[in-house]
């Protein structure tokens, strides 16, 4: 009985267990509890990770600020102490692991490492008690070898509004001070390229090129400009072997009085500033190019002396600016060092474009836009005129015209009067302009005097070269008085002869062609790695567009549209450019 009761009790328990196993009531509660535990754990992991990220960001930011401050070349405190001080003020001193400093005459590099341990509140349940938060930072400031070309507009419009040239001088001098004041290691050089319709190189730089059609210095000194063909604007270099003609000392722009009578010789007029207002190449040492210098007083003195006059050739100004930065000019700089014209520390300049330690910068400034450039045709730059004479006594011009020689085989041709003298009164017509048998020498020749074809010299009168003519007479005056009046008969033939001879004398470059040359040179320069900063100083819309298009991008960094009433003055523009040249940067 007892055994049977025991068996029945056991069967009852097993039956109940089997019923319990089959019973589904309460199963969702168990599943929910499992999900809750998992969600709590994931949320805890997220909290731990956020705490880790917050610790890491705080550590990295403190490290970056500390290394930047320590790497500054203006920093006078010990670099390691600076980093340690930043961590102490942030309450992270125990997190700083190491600081190393590498520095030389023109650079300082600070490397620092730190590590924090983020304790986990939840992840320790899965065996992860903490997460390390490492941080590393390298900051460097390096004063590289900097080559700067200041390409400055000194055209007549800068003088018409006198405040422009005055403000430019203040701004450019401030730029020199800002850039060079702390350069104790001679790492920075500045070249100055003043430009108007031309660029006056000065005798030293001018003498380093193969110059054709040299202007006799007796005709006019301090006149050192080259006529460059359009082909040179595809490159930043300039050949020393190719022959480039010197710009004649000539006024091809000024007009002259046109009529049937003679008007007084109209040579280059001199305004109140003792300048030849319409010469493409303005004489005078004040506007010479300055090659690679860091002599602050010399650079500022030259800027102070600049004189605004003439037209505007932005393309030519930039051409000479980038030429002074091109490595092909290194030989010229070395020669100028040898002759004492450039400081010896710059004998290796310009550096190669791929030199990682050299920064090349152009600051291109204008207050205008391109003005159609005029250049003399080769046959009329220099050499004998083969017909124009000038009286030694009174400076009167006369000219031989072969068409007025009567065809004959006689040795003397007494009925020929081939020399035109536009300034002498004709007693028959009572108009100025007569034909004589010989050049004018101050007196009227005898009516019986004969023209002698074999005579090549005449007493009291000197055969002229084109240089001698252009030095005293406007091109339009020569075309009208010596050609149109002599050969043109009456209007409109005279006008046609005049236009024909002006076309013979000179060619005009279209402003659209000058814009194209500028664009081409800008792109080529930037491809070489030259940084171009542009300043449009109270310039017209088109001038703004071409300079903005020339500058590097973004325009907010490299281009400045300076207005008289604007927020940015020209001094501010130059100062911002100066501050950008030496960059303090994080390298990791």
């Amino acid at each position: 009985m007892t055994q049977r009761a025991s068996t029945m009790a056991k069967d009852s328990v097993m039956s109940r267990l089997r019923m319990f196993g089959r019973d589904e009531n309460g199963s969702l509660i168990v599943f929910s509890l499992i999900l809750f535990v998992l969600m709590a754990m994931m949320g805890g992991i997220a909290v731990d990770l956020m705490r880790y990220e917050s610790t890491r960001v705080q550590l990295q930011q403190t490290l970056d600020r500390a290394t930047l401050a320590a790497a500054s070349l203006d920093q006078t405190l010990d670099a390691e102490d600076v980093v340690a001080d930043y961590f102490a003020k942030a309450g992270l001193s125990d997190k700083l692991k190491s600081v190393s400093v590498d520095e030389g005459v023109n650079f300082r590099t600070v490397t620092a490492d730190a590590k924090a341990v983020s304790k986990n509140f939840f992840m320790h349940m899965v065996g992860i008690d903490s997460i390390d938060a490492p941080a590393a930072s390298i900051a460097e400031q390096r004063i590289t070898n900097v080559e700067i070309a200041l390409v400055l507009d000194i055209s007549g419009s800068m003088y018409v509004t006198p405040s422009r040239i005055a403000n430019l001088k203040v701004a450019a001098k401030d730029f020199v001070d800002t850039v060079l004041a702390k350069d104790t290691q001679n790492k920075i050089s500045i070249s100055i390229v003043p430009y108007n319709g031309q660029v006056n190189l000065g005798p030293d730089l001018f003498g380093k090129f193969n110059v054709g059609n040299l202007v006799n210095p007796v005709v006019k000194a301090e006149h050192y400009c080259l006529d460059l063909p359009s082909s040179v604007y595809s490159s930043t270099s300039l050949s020393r072997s190719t022959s480039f003609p010197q710009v004649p000392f000539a006024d091809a722009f000024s007009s002259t009085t046109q009529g049937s009578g003679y008007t007084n010789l109209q040579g280059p007029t001199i305004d109140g500033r003792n300048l030849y207002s319409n010469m493409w190449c303005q004489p005078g040492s004040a506007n010479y190019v300055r090659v690679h210098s860091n002599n602050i007083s010399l650079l500022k003195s030259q800027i102070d002396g600049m004189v605004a006059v003439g037209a505007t050739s932005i393309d030519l100004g930039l051409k000479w600016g980038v030429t002074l930065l091109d490595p092909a000019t290194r030989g010229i700089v070395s020669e100028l060092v040898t002759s004492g014209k450039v400081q010896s520390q710059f004998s290796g300049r310009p550096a190669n474009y791929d030199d990682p330690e050299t920064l090349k910068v152009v600051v291109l400034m204008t207050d205008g836009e391109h003005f159609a450039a005029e250049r003399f045709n080769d046959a009329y730059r220099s050499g004998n005129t083969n017909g124009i004479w000038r009286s030694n006594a009174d400076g009167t011009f006369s000219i031989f015209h072969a068409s007025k020689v009567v065809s004959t085989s006689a040795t003397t041709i007494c009925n020929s009067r081939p020399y035109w003298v536009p300034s002498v009164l004709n007693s028959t017509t009572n108009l100025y302009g007569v034909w004589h048998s010989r050049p004018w020498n101050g007196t009227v020749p005898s009516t019986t005097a004969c023209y002698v074809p074999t005579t090549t010299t005449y007493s009291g009168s000197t055969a002229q070269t084109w240089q001698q003519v252009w030095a005293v007479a406007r091109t339009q005056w020569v075309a009208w008085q010596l050609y149109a009046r002599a050969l043109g008969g009456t209007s409109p033939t005279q006008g046609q002869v005049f236009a024909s001879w002006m076309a013979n004398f000179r060619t005009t470059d279209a402003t659209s062609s000058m814009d194209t040359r500028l664009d081409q040179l800008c792109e080529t320069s930037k491809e070489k790695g030259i940084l171009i900063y542009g300043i449009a100083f109270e310039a017209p819309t088109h001038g703004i567009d071409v300079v903005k298009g020339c500058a590097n991008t973004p325009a907010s960094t490299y281009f400045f549209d300076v207005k008289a009433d604007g927020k940015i003055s020209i001094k501010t523009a130059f100062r911002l450019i100066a501050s950008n040249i030496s960059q303090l940067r994080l390298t990791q």
Side-chain angles (χ1 to χ4, degrees):
M1 184 70 182
T2 303
Q3 183 177 1
R4 185 180 176 199
S6 174
T7 301
M8 291 177 66
K10 183 184 296 185
D11 290 340
S12 177
V13 170
M14 293 301 295
S15 176
R16 289 178 181 274
L17 287 174
R18 284 193 293 269
M19 290 175 64
F20 179 80
R22 291 193 297 268
D23 191 352
E24 296 181 357
N25 291 332
S27 59
L28 287 177
I29 295 175
V30 175
F31 180 71
S32 297
L33 288 173
I34 294 172
L35 287 179
F36 174 79
V37 172
L38 290 174
M39 290 173 64
M41 183 175 292
M42 293 300 294
I45 292 173
V47 170
D48 285 342
L49 290 176
M50 284 190 293
R51 292 180 64 251
Y52 159 78
E53 183 62 12
S54 177
T55 300
R56 188 197 66 79
V57 169
Q58 181 189 19
L59 193 64
Q60 187 66 56
Q61 289 180 344
T62 303
L63 198 60
D64 287 345
R65 289 193 298 267
T67 55
L68 278 170
S72 172
L73 291 174
D74 292 333
Q75 180 61 260
T76 59
L77 301 176
D78 180 78
E80 292 187 32
D81 291 343
V82 170
V83 175
D85 186 64
Y86 266 75
F87 271 74
K89 286 183 169 60
L92 299 172
S93 293
D94 60 325
K95 309 299 189 291
L96 181 62
K97 300 305 178 183
S98 67
V99 179
S100 63
V101 181
D102 184 21
E103 57 186 335
V105 295
N106 70 321
F107 75 95
R108 180 183 295 154
T109 303
V110 178
T111 304
D113 297 295
K115 184 172 76 171
V117 177
S118 178
K119 297 292 185 180
N120 295 327
F121 292 158
F122 297 93
M123 292 175 67
H124 73 280
M125 291 186 295
V126 292
I128 303 174
D129 296 328
S130 63
I131 304 177
D132 291 339
S137 181
I138 301 175
E140 176 187 75
Q141 187 176 23
R142 182 181 297 271
I143 297 179
T144 57
N145 297 317
V146 183
E147 301 169 4
I148 303 171
L150 290 179
V151 182
L152 306 177
D153 187 338
I154 54 164
S155 59
S157 56
M158 292 289 290
Y159 173 76
V160 172
T161 305
S163 61
R164 290 184 185 175
I165 188 66
N167 290 338
L168 171 62
K169 290 179 180 181
V170 171
K173 289 188 295 181
D174 183 68
F175 177 89
V176 169
D177 280 332
T178 303
V179 169
L180 295 179
K182 296 181 180 179
D183 177 28
T184 60
Q185 301 299 324
N186 299 315
K187 297 295 181 181
I188 303 173
S189 64
I190 297 177
S191 299
I192 300 177
V193 181
Y195 73 94
N196 41 42
Q198 261 290 343
V199 174
N200 196 335
L201 303 179
D204 300 320
L205 183 57
F206 179 85
K208 301 304 178 183
F209 292 92
N210 181 9
V211 182
N213 302 100
L214 276 168
V215 174
N216 187 338
V218 175
V219 173
K220 189 60 190 180
E222 300 184 344
H223 176 85
Y224 299 100
C225 305
L226 296 179
D227 258 334
L228 301 181
S230 294
S231 58
V232 304
Y233 291 89
S234 62
S235 170
T236 54
S237 63
L238 191 62
S239 171
R240 296 183 67 182
S241 58
T242 302
S243 179
F244 300 115
Q246 184 177 9
V247 177
F249 180 73
D251 180 355
F253 180 76
S254 297
S255 61
T256 188
T257 301
Q258 297 182 12
S260 60
Y262 176 76
T263 56
N264 289 328
L265 176 66
Q266 297 180 24
T269 56
I270 302 177
D271 65 17
R273 296 174 294 146
N274 296 320
L275 292 170
Y276 296 84
S277 59
N278 286 321
M279 290 288 179
W280 284 101
C281 183
Q282 295 290 326
S285 60
N287 293 337
Y288 285 169
V289 170
R290 175 71 56 186
V291 180
H292 291 282
S293 175
N294 68 353
N295 186 318
I296 294 177
S297 60
L298 184 65
L299 290 166
K300 291 169 68 174
S301 176
Q302 176 159 356
I303 291 168
D304 256 336
M306 292 188 308
V307 181
V309 63
T312 307
S313 295
I314 307 171
D315 55 341
L316 186 62
L318 181 64
K319 175 60 187 176
W320 282 109
V322 297
T323 294
L324 294 179
L325 301 182
D326 191 275
T329 313
R330 191 179 305 150
I332 292 177
V333 175
S334 295
E335 291 170 17
L336 292 175
V337 168
T338 301
S339 61
K341 304 299 182 180
V342 171
Q343 295 148 272
S344 60
Q345 57 264 31
F346 300 134
S347 61
R349 299 196 175 193
N352 291 335
Y353 285 119
D354 59 358
D355 183 355
E357 298 300 315
T358 299
L359 178 67
K360 296 176 184 285
V361 178
V362 168
V363 181
L364 177 63
M365 169 265 157
T366 187
D367 77 323
E369 57 189 338
H370 279 126
F371 188 94
E374 294 181 342
R375 64 182 73 229
F376 276 79
N377 296 324
D378 289 343
Y380 301 96
R381 292 179 182 275
S382 60
N384 294 325
T385 60
N386 296 319
I388 300 177
W389 296 73
R390 197 176 186 201
S391 167
N392 300 339
D394 57 18
T396 297
F397 278 107
S398 54
I399 183 170
F400 172 78
H401 285 293
S403 61
K404 298 299 180 180
V405 175
V406 176
S407 179
T408 177
S409 59
T411 302
T412 59
I413 310 172
C414 292
N415 58 344
S416 291
R417 300 288 184 267
Y419 287 92
W420 168 254
V421 190
S423 61
V424 174
L425 185 66
N426 187 319
S427 58
T428 302
T429 62
N430 203 32
L431 296 174
Y432 283 92
V434 294
W435 293 95
H436 284 169
S437 58
R438 58 161 171 78
W440 180 259
N441 62 8
T443 61
V444 178
S446 165
T447 56
T448 60
C450 297
Y451 161 65
V452 181
T454 57
T455 302
T456 57
T457 60
Y458 290 93
S459 175
S461 190
T462 303
Q464 299 291 287
T465 65
W466 285 114
Q467 293 177 7
Q468 290 172 315
V469 172
W470 302 140
V472 295
R474 295 178 180 178
T475 307
Q476 292 199 26
W477 184 92
V478 173
W480 184 258
Q481 292 295 334
L482 300 186
Y483 290 93
R485 286 193 61 220
L487 303 176
T490 59
S491 180
T493 308
Q494 284 183 331
Q496 295 168 354
V497 174
F498 170 81
S500 175
W501 275 97
M502 286 300 297
N504 289 339
F505 291 148
R506 57 103 176 101
T507 300
T508 302
D509 288 347
T511 56
S512 58
S513 297
M514 299 169 74
D515 289 345
T516 299
R517 294 195 302 235
L518 177 65
D519 289 343
Q520 182 181 28
L521 184 58
C522 293
E523 293 308 310
T524 300
S525 301
K526 288 183 285 190
E527 289 171 2
K528 296 284 189 179
I530 297 176
L531 292 180
I532 301 178
Y533 290 88
I535 300 177
F537 183 22
E538 301 177 24
T541 300
H542 187 64
I544 293 171
D545 291 342
V546 297
V547 174
K548 185 177 182 179
C550 185
N552 281 70
T553 54
S556 57
T557 299
Y558 293 98
F559 173 72
F560 301 88
D561 183 6
V562 178
K563 304 292 187 184
D565 56 352
K567 295 181 180 180
I568 298 180
S569 68
I570 190 167
K571 184 175 181 179
T572 301
F574 271 97
R575 183 167 289 179
L576 289 172
I577 293 170
S579 69
N580 284 341
I581 288 177
S582 178
Q583 295 285 344
L584 179 64
R585 64 192 187 277
L586 282 172
T587 60
Q588 178 179 322

